[in-house]
Amino acid sequence: MEAFKTHRGLLATLDNANVDTDQIIPKQFLKSIKRTGFGESLFFDWRYLVDGKPDPAFRLNAPRFKGASILVVRNNFGCGSSREHAVWAVMQYGFKAVIAPWVDRDGTRVPGFADIFRNNSRQNGLLTIELSEAEVEAIFQAVDRFPGLEATIDLDEQRVVLHLSEAEEAFHFDIDPGVKEHLVRGLDEIGLTLQHEAKVAAFERTHDIQMPPRG
């Protein structure tokens, strides 16, 4: 897993809430046992016309968003069924991070990302960032005003910095310390466990581990 410390890239916005995993990567693309080749099928039903050509009406097909590496979306991104392929598709398209807002609904804080999508993102090295609804709206408006707008994400400082022409604008984000360690070190749970391989081997040598009888 590639380590994430800082990243500067082009911002792209997708003005849709409740984007589920079937919209991110439709079920017909889940047959492959390989973990590659999913980027071209990201948002397939939205990106392509029935003849297979890119739909010019779909926002991410706009030339101004070509090469974007930071995706900004609305609330509850990645809901629906559990499929790790959704994260693979987002990353293989070229996105390094996704930004979504948490919202307050009748006093209840609704997260920006569905739990399963967030957990799969952590395991694969995709950074998910939650900001307030007002902050995400400010990013949407800035992207509309300034074509080609880039941002820098500093994971150590936990900041998103918009590189506006007149001045920079920064937003602080919270992140679980454990998730931050995963990303900064570029290690999934197996990788973190292997950091203690010598201690595990020493424990096994000094303890008689009896396997339960079969049957």
Side-chain angles (χ1 to χ4, degrees):
M1 191 170 89
E2 184 180 351
F4 191 116
K5 295 183 179 178
T6 61
H7 172 74
R8 176 166 176 162
L10 178 67
L11 290 156
T13 52
L14 184 63
D15 197 8
N16 297 70
N18 305 309
V19 176
D20 64 36
T21 51
D22 193 52
Q23 292 165 323
I24 296 173
I25 183 74
K27 58 183 179 299
Q28 65 265 32
F29 300 107
L30 307 184
K31 300 175 183 178
S32 174
I33 60 173
K34 298 180 180 179
R35 296 181 58 163
T36 59
F38 293 101
E40 63 186 18
S41 302
L42 177 69
F43 303 127
F44 184 86
D45 293 337
W46 292 342
R47 281 173 66 191
Y48 301 104
L49 299 170
V50 292
D51 61 2
K53 295 180 180 179
D55 184 351
F58 180 55
R59 188 170 178 82
L60 292 188
N61 286 338
R64 61 175 295 197
F65 291 137
K66 184 178 181 179
S69 58
I70 302 172
L71 178 63
V72 188
V73 296
R74 297 299 186 180
N75 182 250
N76 198 29
F77 188 81
C79 56
S81 63
S82 172
R83 57 186 71 171
E84 201 169 8
H85 306 70
V87 175
W88 299 344
V90 171
M91 297 184 71
Q92 290 166 22
Y93 183 88
F95 291 116
K96 302 292 185 181
V98 183
I99 301 172
W102 62 268
V103 299
D104 187 307
R105 293 205 176 110
D106 299 323
T108 299
R109 176 167 170 156
V110 180
F113 299 92
D115 287 341
I116 293 175
F117 182 87
R118 184 199 303 275
N119 291 335
N120 285 335
S121 296
R122 178 193 66 187
Q123 293 298 328
N124 287 276
L126 177 66
L127 176 60
T128 55
I129 296 174
E130 273 194 351
L131 297 175
S132 71
E133 195 170 18
E135 289 171 327
V136 170
E137 179 58 34
I139 295 175
F140 266 84
Q141 293 184 16
V143 170
D144 286 343
R145 286 169 51 215
F146 302 102
L149 179 63
E150 293 187 350
T152 293
I153 298 173
D154 187 328
L155 183 53
D156 185 51
E157 297 292 331
Q158 298 176 207
R159 293 198 314 158
V160 177
V161 181
L162 304 186
H163 300 292
L164 303 170
S165 58
E166 65 268 21
E168 292 186 339
E169 185 173 2
F171 305 97
H172 174 83
F173 62 90
D174 294 322
I175 187 170
D176 180 272
V179 174
K180 183 175 180 179
E181 182 182 11
H182 275 277
L183 294 169
V184 169
R185 298 180 63 184
L187 297 172
D188 58 15
E189 291 180 349
I190 294 175
L192 288 174
T193 300
L194 290 175
Q195 299 296 295
H196 306 283
E197 186 175 10
K199 292 181 180 179
V200 172
F203 177 88
E204 291 176 341
R205 286 194 300 268
T206 57
H207 290 74
D208 184 15
I209 301 176
Q210 298 292 330
M211 298 298 293
R214 294 184 177 180

